Amino acid sequence: MPTSDPPSPSSPNLLLVGFMGAGKTTVGRRLARCLHWDVVDCDDLIEARAGKTISEIFADDGEDAFRDLEEEVAATLADYRHTVITTGGGIVERRANLPRLHAAGRVVYLRARPEALYARVKGSSHRPLLQVADPLARMRDLLARRAPRYEEADQIVDTDGLTVEEVVEAILR
Ligand code: S3P
């Protein structure tokens, strides 16, 4: 059952999950500023580990290699304190990552309709999974598969029609 408890000593971090285009990075930065917390992005940690960009990892090594790195990074998240942690949309692809996210803090799912997500990501060239003929169809398929896992979050925020500030308020409320 989703709750909206504020972060507590037993939930030392806030983790944002959700599909590509859900606004995790923007909301995460704003949240961190409000809380005077740090912000860390899993994709940045993966790129630092690999010494190359996400697109290069997918192109050179394939998606499985990327997911291995993502899993390694997920295993380090419980070491953070007072940090807003933004995750890549596919972090739930590996089931083993879910308990790792929950062990690191309060998990918030930024939920949005596929059409709204598509409007935000269309034309972006740095998301390898969307470099296909019909990205919206791809997004619908991936979202259908991932949604039950995102919904295991402690809090779900329906972001359609909300401003960034309103999403932040809903999380902090
Ligand atoms: C992915 C989402 C991306 C990034 C990678 C894979 C996914 O992060 O991790 O391209 O599988 O949904 P964002 O959700 O920040 O775009």
Side-chain angles (χ1 to χ4, degrees):
M1 173 83 171
T3 67
S4 53
D5 295 338
S8 69
S10 59
S11 296
N13 305 299
L14 264 172
L15 296 95
L16 300 184
V17 301
F19 204 78
M20 292 176 267
K24 300 173 299 258
T25 306
T26 312
V27 169
R29 287 194 187 131
R30 198 72 61 94
L31 263 175
R33 216 176 308 138
C34 290
L35 289 164
H36 303 286
W37 282 12
D38 292 326
V39 62
V40 72
D41 179 71
C42 290
D43 282 346
D44 290 346
L45 297 175
I46 292 169
E47 290 186 337
R49 252 168 208 256
K52 46 186 163 180
T53 66
I54 305 288
S55 297
E56 287 166 344
I57 301 168
F58 270 77
D60 298 348
D61 314 314
E63 182 173 349
D64 267 0
F66 172 79
R67 298 292 170 211
D68 288 343
L69 286 164
E70 194 168 48
E71 211 174 323
E72 281 176 30
V73 163
T76 69
L77 298 180
D79 296 338
Y80 289 87
R81 292 291 174 277
H82 296 150
T83 301
V84 177
I85 299 169
T86 57
T87 61
I91 197 138
V92 298
E93 287 284 343
R94 296 255 173 108
R95 171 96 225 160
N97 287 338
L98 270 83
R100 292 179 178 136
L101 298 179
H102 285 278
R106 181 154 71 89
V107 180
V108 179
Y109 171 28
L110 302 186
R111 184 161 63 186
R113 288 177 305 109
E115 295 73 17
L117 296 166
Y118 179 64
R120 293 201 206 109
V121 299
K122 71 170 175 236
S124 82
S125 57
H126 65 280
R127 291 185 167 102
L129 291 178
L130 301 183
Q131 308 312 305
V132 292
D134 188 348
L136 179 56
R138 184 85 191 268
M139 290 173 76
R140 285 206 173 97
D141 284 351
L142 287 172
L143 187 55
R145 186 169 80 208
R146 294 174 179 177
R149 291 188 179 177
Y150 292 140
E151 286 164 6
E152 291 182 32
D154 300 300
Q155 180 185 4
I156 298 174
V157 180
D158 282 306
T159 62
D160 288 326
L162 297 187
T163 63
V164 171
E165 282 73 19
E166 287 167 335
V167 174
V168 167
E169 268 172 40
I171 294 170
L172 296 178
R173 201 178 294 142

